[in-house]
Each structure stands twice: as structure tokens, then as C-alpha cells.
Amino acid sequence: MNIDRHRVIQRFTAYVQKFDHTDAGVVLKYEHSMRVSRIIEDIARGISLSDGDVNLAWCIGVLHDIGRFEQLREYHTFIDYRSVDHAKYGAKYLFGEGHIRDFLTDASEDDVIRLAVGLHNVFQLPCELTPRQRQFCQLIRDADKIDIFRVYATHLEKPDNVWHTDLSRLKEQPISDAVMAQARRMRTIRTEDKKTRMDFYAGVLCLYFELSYAVSRELVKEQGYYEKLLQFHSRNRQTETRLDEIRSLVKCLGNQQNQDGL
């Protein structure tokens, strides 16, 4: 596939410049997109994809969160169930409205890009994907998770509050029973089950359970942000007990993967 990286970055940056750069959320999502594009490239090279497929993965990384900017401007939140599904909106903007041609003249991989962007946030990928479609969806989902660890580790206790929500009582909040039940199954957490800010934090920890590639887990280890997240402690006794349980599950999974050579 023919991808002009300079054009993609130039057009993406021009799109983002339409939004309020005094808003920390806009800056966060631009930086996140750039980082995810580099992470997905590392994963793609780590699983020995061709140069053309590495470029395709990189492009998906740049564009995967394009729906976030309009979501933030219109709804002042990054919480999809309170606003709009940002992944579906991004796919609609790119393909429903034809803006993908702003970035790429080659249409040969439109279907893969559309699915990877539109499905990067779903709880579970649909069964009917082709192996190629599934691979690129898994690549962007892994890369997105890896940088989400950085975002949370960097901003969780900062006053800038890029999430536009009250975190002042985070350390006193509970982890809901429904969230903990899913964590014990070592699964990602359904958004509709998250009731407290601490539920969202636990949900970020549980993203680790469903990373698809060994190279992704190696990148998580190298970056160190996930380890920093595991060191966050609650002043709520029950919550801290539950966090200890999640930490133990993460450790057990890591030991199992090491033994299996995964």
C-alpha cells in the first residue's frame, strides 16, 4: 500500500489545529495518537510484518482516535456512554464522510483501516473478521492499551485533570462488585459496569489481561508505566484488598506466560 507519512501527519495535525489547544484533553489526544502510531509500528515490526503492513499499522495508529476531538468539543468528556462512541464516530468521519482521502490516496486497504478504527474500543472483536482484519484490529487495540497505561500513570493524580471529571475522592471510592467479578475472570471490564472512578482505574489495570502479542507485554515491561499503576494505593480498606487481588492476578498471568514462553 502507498502511504505518504508526511501527508498523513500534515493533514492530521491540520485537523487537530481546528480544536482548542488550551484544552489539555486536545493536547493529550494528539500526543496519544502520535505515541500509539510509534507503538503499533514497534509491535508490527516485532511480529515480522512486511514494510507495507508496518506502514499500514502506523497509519491506523495515527487515525484511530480521530473521533475523540469532536467528542471533546461537543460533549466535554471522553466517556463514550455519556456522549458518543468515539471509535464509530471516527470511522464515520473517515469513511462515511469520505475524509480518509484527505490522508490517503490509495484506497486498497480502506476496509482494514475502517474496521481497525471503528472497532478499536469494543469489548470483544466480532467473530466474522478475516484473519487479516483481526490482526490489524488486535494491533491497534494492543498499542492503544499500552499508551493508556502511560496516560493514566502520568495524569492520575495531576491537577490538570484531562478527563474533565472529579478525581478528588478517588482514593476513598469502592470497586464495584460487578467490576471485581470480571477482574477475577481476568477479563477487560465492560464500560456499562463501571460506576465509580475507581472502577475505571481497575478497568485500566485489567486491560493487561487481553493484550494479544508477547511483544506488547515486553513493551509494557520496558516502559514501566503499568508497574507504576500497580503501585497506586487506596485509602478504602476494601478497595485496597481488591487491588491486591488484581495485582496477584497480574503476577500469576505473567508467571504463566513466562513458563509458556508467550
Side-chain angles (χ1 to χ4, degrees), residues 19-174:
F19 298 88
D20 180 8
H21 278 250
T22 65
D23 189 324
V26 171
V27 176
L28 170 76
K29 284 303 173 182
Y30 179 76
E31 293 177 349
H32 169 70
S33 298
M34 295 299 98
R35 287 176 180 272
V36 168
S37 71
R38 293 193 290 271
I39 293 168
I40 196 173
E41 181 173 4
D42 288 343
I43 301 171
R45 292 194 186 282
I47 63 172
S48 302
L49 293 190
S50 68
D51 288 345
D53 281 353
V54 169
N55 282 336
L56 175 58
W58 172 86
C59 184
I60 290 169
V62 174
L63 299 178
H64 82 285
D65 252 359
I66 198 166
R68 283 296 196 189
F69 300 96
E70 192 62 46
Q71 178 190 43
L72 185 60
R73 178 161 65 183
E74 181 69 21
Y75 298 98
H76 309 289
T77 184
F78 288 137
I79 301 175
D80 285 8
Y81 70 81
R82 292 182 181 173
S83 54
V84 64
D85 184 316
H86 75 279
K88 288 182 180 178
Y89 177 78
K92 176 179 179 292
Y93 174 81
L94 290 171
F95 295 95
E97 299 177 19
H99 290 288
I100 188 63
R101 298 284 79 83
D102 297 342
F103 304 93
L104 301 172
T105 57
D106 186 339
S108 61
E109 297 286 3
D110 277 9
D111 186 56
V112 169
I113 299 170
R114 177 181 59 82
L115 287 168
V117 171
L119 297 175
H120 81 266
N121 67 333
V122 297
F123 181 69
Q124 189 171 22
L125 290 173
C127 297
E128 62 270 18
L129 296 176
T130 69
R132 182 171 175 78
Q133 290 167 348
R134 181 170 297 275
Q135 182 177 62
F136 281 93
C137 287
Q138 288 174 333
L139 284 166
I140 188 57
R141 286 160 68 84
D142 271 23
D144 194 32
K145 290 179 176 70
I146 292 170
D147 199 58
I148 286 172
F149 298 151
R150 177 194 65 84
V151 171
Y152 265 79
T154 303
H155 293 277
L156 191 61
E157 296 185 87
K158 277 189 174 182
D160 56 17
N161 192 3
V162 295
W163 291 288
H164 296 261
T165 190
D166 183 12
L167 298 178
S168 61
R169 296 187 58 79
L170 177 67
K171 290 189 174 183
E172 285 76 34
Q173 291 183 342

Side-chain angles (χ1 to χ4, degrees), residues 226-243:
Y226 188 75
E227 182 61 33
K228 184 176 179 180
L229 285 174
L230 290 174
Q231 295 170 8
F232 178 83
H233 293 282
S234 173
R235 289 191 285 263
N236 180 310
R237 183 174 297 178
Q238 183 189 55
T239 298
E240 185 61 21
T241 298
R242 290 183 165 184
L243 287 176

